Amino acid sequence: RLNRHTTISLGLSPKRLPAGSSASDLKLGASMTVRGVYSSGKAAQNPGGFSEANWFRSEGISGKLTSVQVSELQPAPAYYSPRHYLYRFRLHALGLLEKSFAPQTSELSSSAGEFQLSSDGIMQALLMGHTGGMTAYTTKALSEAGAYHLLCVSGMHLMFFLLPFRKLSSWASMSFKGQRRLLSAVVFFPVLLSGFGHGISRASLLFLLASLDSRVKRRGDKINSLALAGSVLLLLQPFAIRQNGFWMSFLAAGSLKLMSPQAKSKLINDLISSLGVFLILMPLTAKQQQGANLLAPFANIVLIPLATYLTVVGFLILFLNLLFPFLSQQISVLAKLLTHSVLEIWLKLVSVIANCRKTFLCLPQLIYAAIAILWALVLIFLFRSGYFKVALISLLILLFIPFLPMARQDDQKRLDIVFLDVGQGDATLILLPQGQTILIDGGDSGMGYQRILPALRSLGRDHVDLALVTHGHADHAAGILELMTLGRVDCLLLPHLLPSPGSTNEDFVPLAEDNPFDQNNFEWLVCIQDMAAEAEIPVKRVMSGDQITIGEVRFSFIAPDKADLARAEEANNSSLVFYLAYHKHSVLFTADMTEETEERLVREAGLQPADYLHVAHHGSKLTSGEKFLEQLKPLWAVISVGENNLHNHPHPDTLDRLRERNIRTVRLDETSAFFLRLFEADSRIVIWQ
């Protein structure tokens, strides 16, 4: 924080600290003198994507520094010691939970384990709101199932935490005042464990206000108490008013206080309350996820009781560890005995809901559904009020609306190719006029969950009909694996390298003993192949000479051939190189094509002119040579590359060769995602903003 109005975000490597300083000096209250490159937050780079600028605004951050160098580091003053002790206690509690609830040793590799459902980190998340220990798939599955709120430590967790103390005070026959004093003394323990999150802080303040009401012998209004708690939190953290988490916490609490279902069945009351909170919070959650799972409120009726049990047991195990540290092994056995089966059931149910595509509505679909419901309510009101003519005209207009898009023939025959910004990787969406969706590569880990799926949903689509993996490198394959974990891929297209179950060896290229294209060196393709077999996803393998036609779109593969696969240098030799043809337009996708493959294509005159070129290997120096460009004659070149990447892509020589031939170039590190829109007669490039 430079002054009361300016806050800077920076990324700091502990290895680059000045002499005489150590990473242990980086504590709350320490002061640094730094220098770096200042920039403001970036806007969303893809449809439906995360906006760094909006996040900075919600946190009160003015900008960020990159390439940070620390010239001076002064340790925190002594009066910060109490806060350091509290922080160390929180870390100690986290370590105890990690030790007590450590999962069984997995046979999967660390990279594959990120895409599996696991109990690792769940208890730490339920009790402390610490989600860093969960696998990527578990985190995303909880969000998709509408159960992520259970990890945001809130009033429910406070109620679970105070339950044993209430029982203890009743068993000890404590007076009402004594009970209140005991509960008021321990109420801040879960607040400390969670790091003072919005939900638990709000619940603790409400509890203390209720205690104060009993002392002054006056019952306070629930909504006024909620408003007072919110005002106190905003005084401590004013920028919280811009954060979705703050509003979701208080809206949910206010909704539950206002709604008091009077049904005789507790199950029906819980269902009504859950549905009410779900509908109230839907605009916020739908904006975050680009849609909503309509099964979520019903599933929470089962998930919440299971989470209640796990939270109560978790607090019990934590207290046992704090009181009897010498019995840690026995306590760990007890923890697994009490939670293992319940955790499995809870996670399996979360996974089933997360993979249920039929109940998930994308954001455009939710908007249309909301408009339809609103229109239906208006029609009902008009009929009941006696305005029959107005109601009839409104009904005819409503019935006529679905036929309006049919008048726009251009949109019906438009093919959209969306080049997504996934950093140093490749991911391209192809939206066919008939409604099918094709994905070419999926970027590195995290890109499937964080960029491709939100982009799909913002465009009104929630799955991929065909995913094409050009080769087995993580920056092309990992994102597709993430989509597969959520059941969002219907069919796969892979390089023709690895035998599929039940196939004969004659269908595949013979592998030499020193050939790198075996299962040990094809980690990502092996993971994809195994997951496809488990999920019964059809897999087709292609190589040079194969063609695939979907509607009016034709894919013609020109690499790899047997000569490409026989080379033993690197996995890039397996890269699928193909033309996409639509009417008179053509696009050449080259993945990470190597110099040898490019030279073979030039030598064999296997190249046909293309209007658009997806530049090979992120614009590396050894590809897109002069002879290659001379035969291809592209008008436009697209380079998928990450900003400030370690490989210094695209290479200046490659850019010079493109510039010399007047090939207009679009770089994803300089622009956001963009649409290549192909019509029957012409084409357009539209930069997404």
Side-chain angles (χ1 to χ4, degrees), residues 595 616-625 649-654 657:
E595 183 182 14
H617 207 173
H618 319 289
S620 69
K621 179 181 180 180
L622 300 179
T623 54
S624 302
H649 290 161
H651 197 276
D653 291 351
T654 303
R657 289 194 292 269

Side-chain angles (χ1 to χ4, degrees), residues 58 161 172 186 202 282 291 319 330-331 340 493 499 651 653 658:
S58 68
F161 173 79
V186 300
R202 180 256 310 155
M282 182 179 285
F319 281 128
Q330 292 84 348
I331 295 173
H340 179 69
L493 202 64
H651 197 276
D653 291 351
L658 295 171

Side-chain angles (χ1 to χ4, degrees), residues 76-217:
Y79 54 82
Y80 276 94
S81 296
R83 300 181 70 176
H84 295 162
Y85 289 133
L86 291 175
Y87 181 71
R88 282 201 290 269
F89 173 75
R90 185 169 182 261
L91 290 181
H92 177 63
L94 183 62
L96 292 176
L97 290 174
E98 289 177 349
K99 185 177 180 180
S100 298
F101 296 99
Q104 301 294 330
T105 303
S106 175
E107 298 179 357
L108 295 170
S109 64
S110 58
S111 58
E114 281 296 305
F115 306 101
Q116 300 294 327
L117 193 68
S118 170
S119 61
D120 195 6
I122 290 292
M123 296 304 296
Q124 298 93 292
L126 280 173
L127 270 66
M128 301 180 61
H130 177 77
T131 59
M134 299 191 301
T135 65
Y137 171 64
T138 305
T139 303
K140 187 60 178 177
L142 284 163
S143 177
E144 292 287 304
Y148 196 82
H149 66 94
L150 298 175
L151 309 183
C152 302
V153 182
S154 60
M156 181 177 64
H157 296 75
L158 181 64
M159 179 180 65
F160 302 153
F161 173 79
L162 295 178
L163 183 62
F165 292 97
R166 295 181 188 275
K167 297 294 183 182
L168 178 64
S169 61
S170 299
W171 176 77
S173 301
M174 294 179 63
S175 64
F176 180 77
K177 288 184 178 180
Q179 182 182 11
R180 280 292 178 182
R181 288 172 182 172
L182 173 65
L183 296 180
S184 299
V186 300
V187 70
F188 286 108
F189 185 79
V191 180
L192 171 63
L193 285 180
S194 67
F196 299 92
H198 294 312
I200 190 66
S201 299
R202 180 256 310 155
S204 300
L205 285 173
L206 289 176
F207 177 84
L208 293 176
L209 287 173
S211 301
L212 183 63
D213 290 341
S214 62
R215 292 179 182 178
V216 300
K217 298 180 180 180

Side-chain angles (χ1 to χ4, degrees), residues 65 82 106 151 163 318 573 636:
L65 288 183
S106 175
L151 309 183
L163 183 62
L318 179 58
N573 286 306
W636 286 83

Side-chain angles (χ1 to χ4, degrees), residues 36 54 131 164 202 277 308 351 364 385 434 440 453 521 540 559 621 677:
N54 289 342
T131 59
R202 180 256 310 155
V277 173
T308 301
S351 182
S385 301
Q434 298 84 3
I440 302 173
L453 192 58
N521 287 22
K540 179 177 177 60
K621 179 181 180 180
R677 289 179 169 163

Side-chain angles (χ1 to χ4, degrees), residues 46 419-428 439-445 447 451-452 470-471 473-479 591-592 614-619 638-643 645-647 649 667-669:
N46 298 287
F419 295 91
L420 297 175
D421 177 11
V422 291
Q424 188 66 12
D426 276 359
T428 306
L439 174 63
I440 302 173
D441 288 332
D444 215 330
S445 298
M447 296 297 109
R451 301 198 184 183
I452 298 175
T470 58
H471 63 292
H473 278 164
D475 60 334
H476 293 253
D592 282 358
H614 196 194
V615 176
H617 207 173
H618 319 289
V638 181
I639 305 178
S640 295
V641 64
E643 186 179 12
N645 63 86
L646 298 176
H647 308 283
H649 290 161
R667 294 172 47 174
L668 292 181
D669 61 334

Side-chain angles (χ1 to χ4, degrees), residues 49 57 80 100 138-139 162 211 217 222 232 239 263 273 277 311 347 390 402 432 586:
R57 179 178 174 274
Y80 276 94
S100 298
T138 305
T139 303
L162 295 178
S211 301
K217 298 180 180 180
K222 294 180 179 180
V232 172
F239 284 102
S273 299
V277 173
T311 305
L347 289 174
V390 177
L432 274 66
S586 61

Side-chain angles (χ1 to χ4, degrees), residues 474-488:
D475 60 334
H476 293 253
I480 289 180
L481 192 60
E482 292 178 345
L483 296 180
M484 293 172 63
T485 62
L486 295 173
R488 259 55 185 188

